[in-house]
Amino acid sequence: MAGRLVIVCQHVADARHAAAGGADGIVLVGSRDEGGLSPAPDLLRDVRRTVDIDVRPLVKLRAGYSTDGGEATRLKGLVADYRAGGADGMVLGFVNGRSEVDTEVLGLLLDGTDWPWTFHRGFDACLETDRAWRTVLTLPRLDGVVTAGSARDVEHGLDELIRLARSDPRIANLVQAGGDLQPEHVPWLARAGVRRFQIGSSARPGRSWKAYVDPGLVRSWRTLIDDEVDA
């Protein structure tokens, strides 16, 4: 499996620059408030018309990583709007009051669908990591789990990510390493079998979210990932 680079984008210009730099896909957010919130369907449609790489919007309407039946109904309608707007898949994931993967809510949102999806960083809010992995390995059409290996960042979770990736090739195939990922982390993760990587501020000048994604920075990450995965 070749390396995959995903960029967190907030604007049409971000998406265009990510594609120009060689990204494989983007996670589209409307706001970075509260750990990231869903984009407007109109923004998704504008991005879809601009790039031909994989576009997945974040499905999340409030702070935290939990939801309830009433909001889940709203989320299902939002997902339908995104699909109508050309989304290739979704980025979603919920944790229940026991700090476990919320299979009930996910079942409601995934029922009757045919699109692939990525579990977002909310995965790192699960209390028992090994149990969370056992759960997500049973979920349909899941093709990525954004995780830093810790609730903080990749620097603090690197050893855990390496352990997990080496423990099961299915986990290595799903890990989408993200959460203040640094270039020096990539070789270690690639050697453990990780092939998916996600960056946000690192794709921007000065690591500032006020700046647009820079194609040159994306290209440097593209080269790094390809070199390490090939090695």
Side-chain angles (χ1 to χ4, degrees), residues 8-15 27-33 39 43 47 204 209-211 213:
V8 179
C9 296
Q10 295 179 273
H11 314 283
V12 172
D14 280 346
V27 175
L28 186 64
V29 301
S31 166
R32 290 189 59 254
D33 295 341
L43 175 59
V47 167
R204 293 166 165 79
W209 284 97
K210 295 180 180 179
V213 167

Side-chain angles (χ1 to χ4, degrees), residues 28-127:
L28 186 64
V29 301
S31 166
R32 290 189 59 254
D33 295 341
E34 311 296 353
L37 297 173
S38 291
D42 285 348
L43 175 59
L44 182 279
R45 285 190 285 270
D46 289 343
V47 167
R48 177 75 287 167
R49 287 192 290 265
T50 302
V51 300
D52 59 4
I53 60 176
D54 189 88
V55 177
R56 300 190 185 190
L58 177 65
V59 181
K60 183 171 175 286
L61 292 175
R62 66 186 186 189
Y65 300 111
S66 63
T67 189
D68 53 41
E71 187 185 51
T73 301
R74 290 178 57 206
L75 290 169
K76 200 166 180 68
L78 185 62
V79 165
D81 287 341
Y82 289 152
R83 282 295 281 167
D88 296 292
M90 307 291 156
V91 180
L92 65 145
F94 298 94
V95 177
N96 62 27
R98 298 183 299 278
S99 297
E100 301 169 343
V101 173
D102 196 331
T103 53
E104 182 176 350
V105 169
L106 287 170
L108 175 63
L109 294 175
L110 297 171
D111 182 49
T113 66
D114 60 357
W115 34 262
W117 62 287
T118 307
F119 202 118
H120 60 54
R121 267 297 302 281
F123 182 83
D124 288 336
C126 292
L127 188 60

Side-chain angles (χ1 to χ4, degrees), residues 169-184:
R170 297 173 299 168
I171 293 177
N173 189 51
L174 286 175
V175 166
Q176 188 160 301
D180 199 22
L181 181 73
Q182 301 296 318
E184 59 266 27

